[in-house]
Structures are given as C-alpha cells and as structure tokens.
Amino acid sequence: MPTITGVTVTDVRFPTSLELDGSDAMNPDCDYSAAYVVLETDGTAGDGAPLAGYGLTFTIGRGTDIVVEAATQQAALLVGRDTDAIARDMGGLYRDLTADSQLRWLGPEKGVVHLSLAAVMNAAWDLVARQAGKPLWRLLADLTPEQLVDVADLRYLSDVLTREDAVALLREREGGKAERLAELERRGYPVYTTSAGWLGYDDAKLRRLCQEAVDEGYSHVKLKVGANVDDDRRRLAIAREVIGPDRKLMIDANQVWDVPQAIEWVRALSDFDLHWIEEPTSPDDILGHAAIREALAPIGVATGEHCHNRVMFKQLIQAGSLDFLQLDTGRLASINEIVAVLLLAAHTGVKVCPHAGGVGLCEMVQHVSVLDYVAIGADLDGRVTEYVEHLHEHFTDPVEVRDDGEGPGYVVPSRPGYSTEMFPESVATYTFRDGAYWAGARAAAEDVAGAAS
Amino acid sequence: MPTITGVTVTDVRFPTSLELDGSDAMNPDCDYSAAYVVLETDGTAGDGAPLAGYGLTFTIGRGTDIVVEAATQQAALLVGRDTDAIARDMGGLYRDLTADSQLRWLGPEKGVVHLSLAAVMNAAWDLVARQAGKPLWRLLADLTPEQLVDVADLRYLSDVLTREDAVALLREREGGKAERLAELERRGYPVYTTSAGWLGYDDAKLRRLCQEAVDEGYSHVKLKVGANVDDDRRRLAIAREVIGPDRKLMIDANQVWDVPQAIEWVRALSDFDLHWIEEPTSPDDILGHAAIREALAPIGVATGEHCHNRVMFKQLIQAGSLDFLQLDTGRLASINEIVAVLLLAAHTGVKVCPHAGGVGLCEMVQHVSVLDYVAIGADLDGRVTEYVEHLHEHFTDPVEVRDDGEGPGYVVPSRPGYSTEMFPESVATYTFRDGAYWAGARAAAEDVAGAAS
C-alpha cells in the first residue's frame, strides 16, 4: 500500500529559440518548455527502483512558472493518498481535482488551470501504469468497457454520447483487439513529420529537410504558412517538387487568419494539392472552422492542438468543422478527458490525428494513438500522428520511430508508464532560472553587457 | 508627460463564504476576491492627488495568487511608459500586451492569462480616464466612431462584423446621444437584483429578501437553481407568490446541467412564468445553448459571465444561442474587447444584460451599460444590468442605485476613472495571506487547534 509522500513541480525550459525550431506565424520565438510534475511515493516499482510518477504539460517559455504554481496547488491534494486506491478509481481522483470550484472559476476547464491539471493527472497516470508494470496504453486497453468509461469525463457530452453509447461502442470494439495490436507491433503507428517546415528555416534548409523526409519514407509532409502568401507559394512549390505528386502535403497557419482571409489565402495555395489546412483561425471558432471547411473542400480542415476541452471537440464534430481531430495530450486534462474525446470521435467516425512535438508530447501521444486503434477508434484509414524529431534525448523512455517497409511508425511502447520521465540531469540543467544552462546564459549576457558599458 | 513608475498587484480576498453570499449549485463556498492592480505614475490628477490607475479582475478565493502572478508579468511591460502616449493609443497598448506569444500559448485568450490581462488593462483604462478628468464611459462616448473602433479588438470577427460595419453603426448612433444620456441621468440605467436568491439562504430569508426587492421597486428577481428540483419548485413558488404575476422571475443554474438535463429540469419549472434561464450548461457549449433555447422558448436563454472572449460571443450570436448577452467586465479583456462585443450585439440586435456582483463588477459595469446605451446599442428595450448589494463599501467611488419612480437604476457615474479604486485600508486588511483579517483568522484557527490537542 504505497503512499504519495511528496510532489515537486519544476519549470523546465529548453533554449529552442536559438535554432528557430518551432517557429511559425503566431509563435516566432519559442523556448520549448514543460511544467514537470514528479509524484514521489514510499513504494518500489517492479524493477526495485523507487516508485514515482512523472508528468508534464507543454509550454513555450514565459509563463511556465504560472502553470507550475497552479500545478503545485492542485498536486498538493495527492500527498498522503494511497496509490492502490488511486489506481482503482482514477475517475474519482480526476473528479476530486476538478471539484475545487474556486480554481474552476479561473477556467472553467481551460487555460492555465487546465494545462496544470493535465500535468498533474499525466503524472498520476504514469504512476499507476508503473505500479501495474504496464505501458499506459496497455493498462487502459486491458480495462473492461465499463472500467474504461468510468475513467472518461463524459460530463456535458450526453447530447452526443451517453455512457450507454460509450460502453456499447467499446464492447463492439473488443473483437479484433489482438489482431489490431499485432498489426501495430508489426508496422508501428503511422506518423508524419513537421520537422521540415518551420517558418524560420531558409529555402535551402527546407529543400534538404523535405528530401530527408522522402528518404526516410514519410508519406506526409507539413509546412507552416501564413506570414506571406508569396513566400508560402514559393515554399510549397519547393516542397511539392521534392516530395512529388503522390505524397500528402499539409499546411499549418497557427491561427493567424480571420475566417474570410483564411478562405482567400488557402484558395491562393490550392494548386499545390493540399491534404489539410491546420488551425486556419481562432481555435475557439467552431462555426468559423465549419465555414472554412465548407468553402475549401476537398482540402480538409485539421484543428485541435489548442482546443481546450471535450465540450469544444464535441461541437467541432457537431458543426462539421473538421476532418482531422488533433487532440493534444498536454492541453486536454489527461487520459480522463482524452478517452472521452476518442469515444466522441469513434462514435461519430471522425479521424483522430493527434498533435505532438514540443516537449514530451510524442512520448505521450504514442500511448494515445495505440490505445485508440487497439480499443476505441479501431481504424487506421486516414489516421496519422504527428512526430517531431527533437528533445527526445531528455527522456528516459523516448519514442522510437521505425520504418519496416510500410512507412515510419511509432514503435509500440513496451516499458511501464506513460514514457514521461525526464533524465534528472536534463531537468537540473534546464530548470529555469537557476539550472546550469540558464545560470550560464545569464552570466554570459551580463558579461556582454558589462563589456559594452 | 507623466510616466508609469511602478506596478503593484495584490491578492485581496473577502471572507464571504462565512455568510453563504454568492452560493450557487456550482460554487458552494466562495470568498469573493480580486487580483487588484495599481499603476503608479509620477504625475498628478486634476484634483492634485497623485495620478494612478486602479483595476481588477474578480475571482472567488483560491487561485487568486495565480492570477496575481500572471498580471504581474503582463503589467511589467507598462513600467516606464508615457501615459500621454498610452492614452492616445489604447488599442496599441492592448496589442502590445496580447502580442506575447509565449503567454498566449497558455490561453489563447482565455483562462488565467485573460483574466489577468483584464485586470491590467482595466487599470490602464482607469488611469487614462482619470488623467482626462472624465468618467470612463464619457471618455469613450466622446471618441469619434473611428477612434472608438480603433480601441476595439475586432480580430477574428470579420465574418460577422467588419471595421467598416462598426464605424457605420457608430456614426448612425451619433444622433440622439444627448437625449439618451439625459434619459439615463433622469432615471439611471435599469438594474435587477440577485441579492435575494442565493442557494444557501433558507426559505424565510428568501421570502424576506424577495419582499424587500418588491419594496425597493425592482421589476426583476433572480434565483439560483439546480441542486434539487423539488427545492427549486418550492423556492420559485415562494418567490412568485411574493413578487406577484407582473414582475419578471429569472433562474440561474451556474452550468450544472448537461443539455438534455437542462431542458428536462427547466420544463419542470416552467409553470412559474420564467423570463430567462441563465447558464444552463457548460459556458463553452454554444450549440448546446442553441438547442436549449429552441426547446425552451419562450423562456429566454442568458449566458456570458464565463464566456471567455469575443470569438465565443460571436458564435453564441451566430448560432442563435442566447436572448440575453451577459458579458463580464473582469473576464473579457477590458474595454478593448468589451467594445467589440457591444458592437457585435448592436450590429445583430442582441440584448446586452451584463453580469455583475462579485468584487467591483458593479462599479465597472455601470460604465459599460451607460456607454452601450449612449453610443453603441442605443436601446433599453429588454435591457437590465445585474446589481448585487455587497462589498461596495470597499470602493472609493461606489455604485449608487436610485429609484426616481421608474425603478432602481445605476446613477450615471460622474467622477473621473473606472470607479475601480479600493480604499487602501480595505486592501491592507483583506490582503491574502498577511492582511490583518487573514492573519487574525489564521491565529484564531491555530488557537482552536491548540485547545483541541
């Protein structure tokens, strides 16, 4: 009967702005960051090491400290709890953490308090999977339909999906689980790459990275657009030339347009045979996405990385706003809310193509996509999950992408947990502001300032 | 040329949970609170006192410190700025404060970083109105149509309202401004009261408060509902009996229902001749509100106190989700976003009935409602603004509600600023955790704990 004995929440920032990794039309300079939660216990894991849970939400620099403060307040409720009891009722833990009406006022279910809830609950999910000695996707796939629905937050969804609908769907999907898992173990979960197309890269680098994507077997390539339409046309021409006519080319505008402008701009790019336009406008604009989708078909609409909760996803589906649902494992409030969204999508036949990249999102998303195919959505047609090739070196159980002849795919995770543990040295080095990296950068900046004065 | 020389942001909490003021089905125990921003300058106001700006956002207890931290980071950008330059371009200041893509990631435009932005910009608006020697509503009503549109954040709205639409609307409303202002100066801006119907009050207190509302001339009374349908029927029967058949009776569910449940529950209350159902479900559920409205007509739907930005209001209007638009002056990002929402509502003929109460919301909302009638919406038909009679004693320029024979109304504010300054003694006493009140409460709690051990 291990007990949670303590919590630490750390502001970890990687200086990615130096390389323009992650640059797009809305976010010109990101330091990819995480509010990183560690739940300590007095127990031991299966391998004899101390049992702990590691979780995070992804941020892009300033303000990570604000999320850390919120996560610290929420996580304090976990200290002293019995991990066996938590594991038996993760739905109950989630409800306890969301029941604080005073913190709820600051959302509700959105913004900082929802990001921080994700970090805390992600750590709790990692903990219970480690305690069970299973990768998280398997812990969840092994649950009965009723047990899986019990962890899902179905509140405010019953006009589209009732509890009975959800159980019936999961029961029906129990057939074929073993075959679908065997398929993923053979080929991996299909991925696409965004590594090529950041806005800050010059044409030569774009061309080289597109060629590398082709050489690595990718069938989808995505470019950031939206700063300048002529630049976009030039860059898309390069990408289409390099990847040829058969691979899929997607674009991502990161919310820079109003609705009429999105329609006009993407029409000006439509001769490049685009598979989807991602985040064409405000992530809150359900009806705007629906209008854009109707105007631009057959170009698909993809959105969701900033979609803040299941109620918004419900409506994006109801309004016919999207073709590709890009949920984010750091923005939705952990598996409890993600399973609800996967159920909504499966119930309505919407393609889930999760967002990833950033810090640790690929590590988490592989569990979500494997779970979706094995137990919930049970369909790979048109599904492809994002993969960005950076910062994995900081994780103890990093994603592995392999191509065994059917294109690159996430190798099905096999180690216990949610793959969200960072190396202690990485955390120590990049802790803001006093980790070795940031202390050194500050000292160097002061030296420069001193020399100049 | 005064300069902003410093900023303080304070976590102020009033122990309202002791009286169950503010209790409803979602929020059983609130300590009405504020993240309170003071912008200090080296200038002097018209009366010779130091020139400063005071602003706040309303919170309900825990987590106010998180908003304070966010507001502190955002407000830091104001230090060193020339107040004359700020006053000339409040739209530019707003854009500067919202341009930080790293903080934007934590919303975008929602949750903690949007609440904190409201507090900071509310203080800036108070500052420029004080510097101009005008109440804020008048500063804004005196702008040209182009100037007023320049401060409005119209981003993401152009599919419903273009800049040209907005200017044309304001130009058309310039006629009759003086007459409308004279009307408000005679009768005040019509208000309704929520003071009677908090869920935590017993039947005798409910009856007494309803009678007081009648005696004070109110034509609208609102009750909290949603915990138990039998209790709701009993309480509504009392209220309807006391207020008679001609006054309007509204109910407020504070988001406790799913969509089908909202429809069923309100139908079970519909024999009390209800004017509106407020917040029947998740504030994010635009399509859910539309379905509820369609099912329950002629009972109106009111929502907006948790509507987090103008993009959501745009869609609530587009989808036909509401009859009464209850914007909140602490949740929308200040006048810049509020004017955009007032323009949307005026352009589409939607009735604006702002939310108020809490801490300081009534003080701000009077400026918004007066501005709306004088310069933007220009219609009083069906409009009524919330008024709650508590915590005004902490403000240096508190709201005044008067009945000169046409029902209670907010007296048009006459003193310079946004009426958002709190007495320094109130701030000092209720600063969390070390103000005299909270230090005393903690010491008393420790005494009790000591005596019990």
Side-chain angles (χ1 to χ4, degrees):
Chain A
M1 204 181 87
T3 298
I4 296 176
T5 53
V7 177
T8 62
V9 189
T10 308
D11 176 349
V12 183
R13 306 190 193 182
F14 299 100
T16 47
S17 59
L18 302 178
E19 302 290 335
L20 296 182
D21 293 340
S23 58
D24 61 51
M26 186 64 84
N27 305 293
D29 62 328
C30 309
D31 284 329
Y32 276 11
S33 305
Y36 181 62
V37 175
V38 180
L39 302 175
E40 293 151 3
T41 79
D42 55 12
T44 50
D47 61 0
L51 176 65
Y54 306 88
L56 59 85
T57 191
F58 169 54
T59 51
I60 62 171
R62 283 184 297 281
T64 308
D65 46 344
I66 300 168
V67 182
V68 164
E69 175 58 31
T72 302
Q73 293 190 25
Q74 288 164 329
L77 286 175
L78 274 72
V79 176
R81 294 207 186 204
D82 166 11
T83 63
D84 293 335
I86 285 177
R88 279 193 302 271
D89 186 16
M90 285 294 280
L93 178 67
Y94 174 89
R95 285 190 295 278
D96 285 353
L97 287 176
T98 53
D100 186 319
S101 66
Q102 300 189 14
L103 290 178
R104 187 180 185 280
W105 185 269
L106 308 183
E109 305 195 83
K110 59 180 67 72
V112 166
V113 296
H114 211 59
L115 291 163
S116 59
L117 179 67
V120 173
M121 285 299 308
N122 286 341
W125 280 108
D126 182 59
L127 176 66
V128 300
R130 285 168 182 266
Q131 186 170 18
K134 295 180 180 183
L136 181 56
W137 68 265
R138 184 180 284 278
L139 176 81
L140 296 165
D142 286 349
L143 296 177
T144 66
E146 289 79 5
Q147 288 172 326
L148 189 54
V149 171
D150 280 344
V151 306
D153 181 1
L154 299 182
R155 188 160 193 206
Y156 295 132
L157 305 184
S158 64
D159 47 335
V160 171
L161 178 83
T162 65
R163 179 184 164 84
E164 295 66 39
D165 295 332
V167 170
L169 182 142
L170 292 175
R171 191 161 292 140
E172 188 243 309
R173 302 286 154 92
E174 288 198 294
K177 260 188 185 178
E179 293 74 12
R180 292 193 295 273
L181 176 56
E183 182 184 355
L184 292 187
E185 287 178 331
R186 188 187 77 239
R187 62 163 298 180
Y189 194 99
V191 300
Y192 73 94
T193 179
T194 304
S195 299
W198 299 111
L199 217 48
Y201 293 170
D202 64 27
D203 290 356
K205 186 167 181 179
L206 171 68
R207 180 178 293 274
R208 175 168 60 77
L209 291 171
C210 285
Q211 187 58 53
E212 284 177 18
V214 170
D215 295 344
E216 288 164 9
Y218 283 101
S219 56
H220 297 65
V221 167
K222 191 168 86 184
L223 261 59
K224 301 289 183 175
V225 298
N228 177 294
V229 72
D230 295 326
D231 289 345
D232 289 347
R233 288 192 58 84
R234 192 185 71 251
R235 288 158 42 81
L236 284 169
I238 293 170
R240 184 48 87 191
E241 181 198 328
V242 175
I243 70 174
D246 296 333
R247 292 183 186 80
K248 296 202 188 300
L249 183 57
M250 294 95 85
I251 55 173
D252 182 355
N254 292 89
Q255 315 167 24
V256 293
W257 300 315
D258 273 33
V259 173
Q261 190 188 13
I263 293 169
E264 186 186 357
W265 194 302
V266 177
R267 279 191 176 142
L269 307 178
S270 59
D271 49 327
F272 295 103
D273 187 17
L274 302 175
H275 183 54
W276 80 45
I277 167 64
E278 179 171 335
E279 287 206 307
T281 190
S282 164
D284 294 341
D285 201 345
I286 295 154
L287 301 178
H289 280 85
I292 290 167
R293 180 168 176 247
E294 191 180 348
L296 293 178
I299 299 173
V301 167
T303 195
E305 75 174 88
H306 282 82
C307 182
H308 55 268
N309 63 36
R310 69 205 175 281
V311 179
M312 296 300 284
F313 275 121
K314 179 186 76 170
Q315 294 175 86
L316 286 165
I317 291 171
Q318 285 177 297
S321 305
L322 46 65
D323 299 274
F324 304 99
L325 187 158
Q326 303 181 297
L327 66 84
D328 182 288
T329 55
R331 203 169 283 276
L332 292 180
S334 91
I335 289 297
N336 302 81
E337 193 167 35
I338 291 169
V339 168
V341 173
L342 294 176
L343 286 164
L344 275 174
H347 184 62
T348 55
V350 166
K351 294 177 172 63
V352 177
C353 298
H355 173 249
V359 178
L361 298 182
C362 298
E363 277 66 25
M364 291 188 275
V365 85
Q366 57 180 340
H367 291 267
V368 170
S369 286
V370 170
L371 171 69
D372 189 35
Y373 185 53
V374 170
I376 304 176
D379 196 346
L380 283 184
D381 180 49
R383 273 73 169 178
V384 63
T385 295
E386 190 163 18
Y387 169 62
V388 184
E389 194 179 350
H390 57 202
L391 301 175
H392 304 298
E393 66 275 19
H394 300 295
F395 287 83
T396 62
D397 182 21
V399 285
E400 190 183 345
V401 166
R402 206 162 56 201
D403 183 357
D404 289 336
E406 296 174 77
Y410 281 123
V411 174
V412 175
S414 61
R415 286 173 55 186
Y418 201 7
S419 308
T420 30
E421 182 186 4
M422 284 198 255
F423 287 110
E425 314 86 79
S426 290
V427 175
T429 302
Y430 292 102
T431 294
F432 191 81
R433 306 179 17 144
D434 295 322
Y437 175 83
W438 292 107
R442 203 160 58 244
E446 283 162 10
D447 282 354
V448 171
S453 68
Chain B
M1 201 181 92
T3 297
I4 296 177
T5 52
V7 177
T8 61
V9 189
T10 308
D11 176 348
V12 182
R13 306 189 193 182
F14 299 101
T16 47
S17 59
L18 301 179
E19 300 292 335
L20 296 181
D21 292 342
S23 59
D24 60 51
M26 185 64 84
N27 305 293
D29 62 329
C30 309
D31 285 328
Y32 276 10
S33 306
Y36 181 62
V37 176
V38 180
L39 302 175
E40 293 150 3
T41 78
D42 56 11
T44 49
D47 61 0
L51 176 66
Y54 306 87
L56 58 85
T57 192
F58 169 53
T59 53
I60 62 172
R62 283 184 296 282
T64 308
D65 47 344
I66 301 168
V67 182
V68 164
E69 175 58 31
T72 302
Q73 294 190 25
Q74 290 164 328
L77 286 175
L78 274 72
V79 176
R81 294 207 186 204
D82 168 11
T83 62
D84 293 334
I86 286 178
R88 279 193 301 272
D89 186 16
M90 286 293 281
L93 177 67
Y94 174 89
R95 284 190 295 278
D96 285 352
L97 286 176
T98 54
D100 186 320
S101 67
Q102 300 188 15
L103 291 178
R104 187 181 186 279
W105 185 269
L106 308 183
E109 304 195 86
K110 59 179 68 71
V112 167
V113 296
H114 212 59
L115 291 163
S116 60
L117 179 65
V120 173
M121 284 299 308
N122 285 341
W125 280 108
D126 182 60
L127 176 66
V128 300
R130 285 168 182 267
Q131 186 170 18
K134 296 180 180 183
L136 180 56
W137 69 266
R138 183 180 285 279
L139 176 82
L140 295 164
D142 285 348
L143 296 178
T144 66
E146 289 78 5
Q147 288 171 327
L148 188 54
V149 170
D150 280 345
V151 305
D153 181 1
L154 299 182
R155 187 156 193 210
Y156 296 133
L157 304 185
S158 65
D159 48 336
V160 171
L161 178 82
T162 65
R163 180 184 163 82
E164 293 68 37
D165 295 332
V167 170
L169 182 141
L170 292 175
R171 191 160 294 141
E172 189 243 309
R173 301 287 154 91
E174 288 198 294
K177 260 188 185 179
E179 292 76 11
R180 291 193 296 274
L181 176 57
E183 182 184 356
L184 293 187
E185 287 178 332
R186 188 189 76 238
R187 62 163 297 180
Y189 194 99
V191 300
Y192 73 94
T193 179
T194 303
S195 300
W198 300 109
L199 217 47
Y201 294 170
D202 64 27
D203 290 355
K205 185 166 182 180
L206 170 67
R207 181 179 294 274
R208 176 169 58 78
L209 291 172
C210 285
Q211 187 59 52
E212 284 178 18
V214 169
D215 296 344
E216 288 163 9
Y218 284 101
S219 56
H220 298 65
V221 167
K222 192 168 86 183
L223 260 59
K224 302 290 183 174
V225 298
N228 177 293
V229 71
D230 295 326
D231 289 345
D232 289 346
R233 288 191 58 84
R234 193 185 69 253
R235 289 159 40 82
L236 284 169
I238 293 171
R240 184 50 87 192
E241 181 198 328
V242 175
I243 70 174
D246 296 332
R247 293 184 185 81
K248 296 202 187 299
L249 183 58
M250 295 95 85
I251 56 172
D252 182 355
N254 293 88
Q255 317 167 22
V256 293
W257 300 315
D258 274 34
V259 173
Q261 190 187 12
I263 293 168
E264 186 186 357
W265 195 301
V266 178
R267 279 191 176 142
L269 307 178
S270 58
D271 49 326
F272 296 102
D273 186 17
L274 302 175
H275 183 53
W276 79 45
I277 167 63
E278 178 170 335
E279 288 206 306
T281 189
S282 163
D284 294 341
D285 202 343
I286 295 155
L287 301 177
H289 279 84
I292 291 166
R293 181 168 176 246
E294 191 179 349
L296 294 177
I299 299 173
V301 167
T303 194
E305 75 173 87
H306 282 82
C307 182
H308 55 269
N309 63 37
R310 69 203 176 282
V311 179
M312 298 298 285
F313 275 120
K314 178 186 75 170
Q315 294 175 87
L316 286 165
I317 292 171
Q318 285 177 297
S321 304
L322 45 65
D323 299 274
F324 304 99
L325 188 159
Q326 302 180 298
L327 67 84
D328 181 288
T329 54
R331 203 169 283 276
L332 292 180
S334 89
I335 288 298
N336 302 82
E337 193 167 34
I338 290 169
V339 168
V341 173
L342 294 177
L343 286 164
L344 275 173
H347 184 62
T348 55
V350 166
K351 294 177 172 63
V352 177
C353 298
H355 173 249
V359 177
L361 298 181
C362 298
E363 276 66 24
M364 291 188 276
V365 86
Q366 57 180 342
H367 292 266
V368 169
S369 286
V370 170
L371 172 69
D372 189 34
Y373 185 53
V374 171
I376 304 177
D379 195 347
L380 283 184
D381 180 48
R383 273 73 169 179
V384 63
T385 296
E386 192 164 17
Y387 169 61
V388 185
E389 193 178 350
H390 57 202
L391 300 174
H392 304 298
E393 66 276 19
H394 301 294
F395 288 83
T396 62
D397 181 21
V399 286
E400 189 183 345
V401 167
R402 206 163 53 202
D403 183 357
D404 289 336
E406 297 175 76
Y410 281 123
V411 174
V412 175
S414 59
R415 286 175 54 187
Y418 201 5
S419 309
T420 31
E421 182 186 5
M422 283 197 255
F423 287 110
E425 313 86 80
S426 290
V427 175
T429 302
Y430 292 102
T431 293
F432 190 81
R433 309 179 19 151
D434 295 323
Y437 175 84
W438 292 107
R442 203 160 57 244
E446 284 162 8
D447 282 353
V448 171
S453 68

